[in-house]
Amino acid sequence: MHIHILGICGTFMGGVAALAREAGHKVTGCDAGVYPPMSDQLRALGIDLIEGFGADQLQLKPDMWVIGNVVSRARQPDGTPRYPLMEAILDAGLPYTSGPQWLAEHVLQGRHVLAVAGTHGKTTTTSMLAWVLEQAGLQPGFLVGGVPMNFGVSARLGAGRHFVIEADEYDTAFFDKRSKFVHYRPRTAILNNLEFDHADIFDDLAAIERQFHHLVRTVPSTGRVVVNGLEESLARVLHAGCWSEVRSFGAADGDFTAEGEPHAFDVLRRGERVGQVEWSLGGVHNQLNALAAIAAADHVGVAPAQAAQALARFENVKRRMELRGTVRGISVYDDFAHHPTAIRTTVDGLRRRLPPGQRILAVFEPRSNTMKLGTMKSQLPWSLEQADLAFCHSGGLGWDPREALAPMGGRAQVADSIDELVRQVVQAARSGDQVLCMSNGGFGGIHGRLLQALQNA
């Protein structure tokens, strides 16, 4: 089968492309604004990438057009289609489907699917779970919304029966407004946490809870739902109905709990010590991610002690507290955090690892659709509480970040361009500082630009 993927460079659609290629299908695709790591990974797989969404791509004549949710029926200010290829596909009556549906029909069918859902930590927890199953000899397939450093790729078919997938609550495509994860039909489902997000498609938290309950409805009675016992929103999801075995983690009375610091802790199952995790990761959020992965792996026969040993060799995911370089004693990190809660837990996790007196310079751009809308702008000072200084890129916002960050006083600065942002950070930085750059996009290559500017200063 020849498939042509529209929006191929998104982390999810890039993963679909990699799986299809590995399965022996011919894969081509198109996108705009291509940037690594996904573009590099696709080219390394021999997948031809076309820049833009021109209707001339009809000449490729694939068997199926796979449509990413970046594609819409939107029009330019002059009235022309923003995605002329999609309009041409519709006009010609050609076969098309969504990425999640193609995946469900051609990859997940007949597999034991382990799906990881949640507002935060999906990519990291999915990577942890895949690594635990790999170390247990189960040879799982996986699709992760990032590049796990233990594997070096975001997706693979795997030789075993199990398939681990990052289960996103964002909608499927312009013609299918259900959450992606409804297509996956997991036998093991992790509900890691649940907060309001995606203000561009969800009206409120209750709307997202409804989608999570749709996921719960698809888990069979012989399946397992692994749920964060600290989240009231998830308690409401399960209260709406659950037909599967439930195992909780995190809460003191939960099935799986931790005792100790996030970098070194005992794993307890109903109060009994069953394993110990000692690793390089920090932050309570990663401790909870680990418990979720251990509880899910337990469902497919991997003992908690074995899972804990595997996590000791877990190397995290690219763009998750990834050290990009150190110049003049100043370290520059890259992280994917973009929701206020994720920003706070990321900064707090770094703070816990630093000796007293060492400074954190938080550099961020409110780039997600929710943040661009300004829905959570009032939470920014709270999210940056543990940072010594904060630097915000204001490009493309319809609200004033200076006003939102005013409660931080002189600890916060705002720049309208990346060049100005780099200048501000370099002027403020001193030896021993940890510069933490947070964005869910390329951030204008700020990491390399900061390191170069620090070198030249």
Side-chain angles (χ1 to χ4, degrees):
M1 176 187 286
H2 174 195
I3 64 172
H4 187 70
I5 300 178
L6 283 68
I8 193 171
C9 287
T11 51
F12 172 77
M13 297 303 282
V16 172
L19 292 170
R21 184 79 177 82
E22 188 182 349
H25 300 291
K26 179 181 178 181
V27 183
T28 54
C30 63
D31 213 327
V34 172
Y35 59 85
M38 193 52 66
S39 58
D40 294 342
Q41 181 176 307
L42 292 171
R43 289 192 178 105
L45 292 171
I47 295 173
D48 291 334
L49 304 180
I50 300 171
E51 182 74 26
F53 297 87
D56 57 338
Q57 294 174 53
L58 283 189
Q59 298 170 11
L60 293 168
K61 297 182 180 178
D63 301 296
M64 181 63 70
W65 303 87
V66 182
I67 315 301
N69 68 1
V70 69
V71 176
S72 71
R73 302 296 302 277
R75 293 189 172 271
Q76 307 280 12
D78 64 1
T80 58
R82 184 169 295 169
Y83 299 96
L85 176 56
M86 190 68 238
E87 298 301 320
I89 291 167
L90 293 169
D91 289 341
L94 298 172
Y96 64 90
T97 188
S98 69
Q101 187 164 343
W102 191 91
L103 192 68
E105 293 172 355
H106 297 274
V107 176
L108 302 183
Q109 197 73 255
R111 309 285 292 266
H112 181 124
V113 177
L114 300 95
V116 181
T119 308
H120 316 292
K122 288 188 293 292
T123 301
T124 303
T125 308
T126 307
S127 302
M128 287 181 188
L129 181 54
W131 178 242
V132 167
L133 300 194
E134 175 77 358
Q135 290 294 286
L138 298 181
Q139 298 180 279
F142 58 82
L143 195 164
V144 185
V147 181
M149 289 193 249
N150 288 103
F151 294 103
V153 293
S154 68
R156 77 172 191 194
L157 285 177
R161 176 172 173 252
H162 303 90
F163 196 97
V164 186
I165 188 166
E166 179 171 333
D168 187 6
E169 71 274 22
Y170 205 81
D171 62 13
T172 298
F174 75 85
F175 51 86
D176 183 353
K177 306 315 285 183
R178 294 173 295 171
S179 292
K180 289 188 184 74
F181 56 38
V182 174
H183 291 274
Y184 302 153
R185 310 289 174 86
R187 302 192 71 82
T188 309
I190 291 176
L191 310 183
N192 211 9
N193 41 62
L194 178 52
E195 290 188 63
F196 183 62
D197 197 5
H198 310 306
D200 54 322
I201 62 169
F202 292 119
D203 292 332
D204 50 31
L205 180 57
I208 309 178
E209 289 177 5
R210 192 174 306 116
Q211 291 295 323
F212 269 69
H213 191 247
H214 290 165
L215 173 64
V216 170
R217 288 177 184 176
T218 67
V219 182
S221 59
T222 53
R224 174 180 290 187
V225 176
V226 176
V227 62
N228 185 338
L230 299 170
E231 299 270 324
E232 290 183 13
S233 54
L234 293 177
R236 289 192 294 270
V237 168
L238 295 188
H239 183 71
C242 183
W243 300 267
S244 314
E245 174 187 87
V246 176
R247 292 290 181 268
S248 64
F249 65 92
D253 59 349
D255 296 297
F256 288 84
T257 55
E259 220 173 62
E261 290 299 312
H263 68 277
F265 57 93
D266 290 330
V267 177
L268 284 69
R269 181 170 55 193
R270 301 185 191 92
E272 178 190 356
R273 282 174 177 75
V274 289
Q276 186 176 48
V277 175
E278 291 189 32
W279 58 356
S280 60
L281 276 66
V284 174
H285 60 297
N286 278 320
Q287 189 178 56
L288 291 170
N289 292 341
L291 291 176
I294 290 168
D298 176 69
H299 186 228
V300 295
V302 181
Q306 189 178 6
Q309 287 174 359
L311 290 174
R313 297 183 291 277
F314 179 67
E315 295 180 16
N316 215 334
V317 184
K318 281 185 178 294
R319 305 205 62 204
R320 301 307 189 276
M321 283 304 297
E322 182 182 359
L323 179 63
R324 295 291 294 269
T326 302
V327 174
R328 294 173 33 228
I330 301 165
S331 297
V332 176
Y333 293 88
D334 182 15
D335 196 89
F336 197 73
H338 52 278
H339 184 287
T341 302
I343 292 172
R344 182 179 175 90
T345 55
T346 299
V347 176
D348 287 357
L350 179 57
R351 172 61 66 205
R352 283 171 174 265
R353 291 160 51 182
L354 299 179
Q358 202 160 3
R359 301 195 310 170
I360 296 174
L361 279 58
V363 186
F364 68 100
E365 60 172 352
R367 184 184 173 278
S368 70
N369 289 327
T370 301
M371 294 304 291
K372 281 182 179 177
L373 289 168
T375 308
M376 298 180 177
K377 61 185 180 183
S378 63
Q379 296 182 35
L380 284 173
W382 166 80
S383 71
L384 296 160
E385 205 167 37
Q386 290 293 325
D388 296 277
L389 298 173
F391 303 85
C392 175
H393 180 225
S394 64
L397 298 179
W399 49 275
D400 185 3
R402 292 172 179 83
E403 182 182 327
L405 294 168
M408 296 185 69
R411 290 171 52 220
Q413 295 184 53
V414 177
D416 298 328
S417 69
I418 299 293
D419 286 341
E420 175 64 10
L421 196 66
V422 169
R423 189 194 65 76
Q424 289 177 352
V425 175
V426 171
Q427 191 172 48
R430 62 188 189 219
S431 182
D433 285 348
Q434 311 292 301
V435 180
L436 175 56
C437 301
M438 294 173 284
S439 170
N440 67 340
F443 208 164
I446 193 171
H447 322 89
R449 290 162 75 168
L450 269 174
L451 290 166
Q452 188 61 56
L454 287 167
Q455 186 72 55
N456 296 339

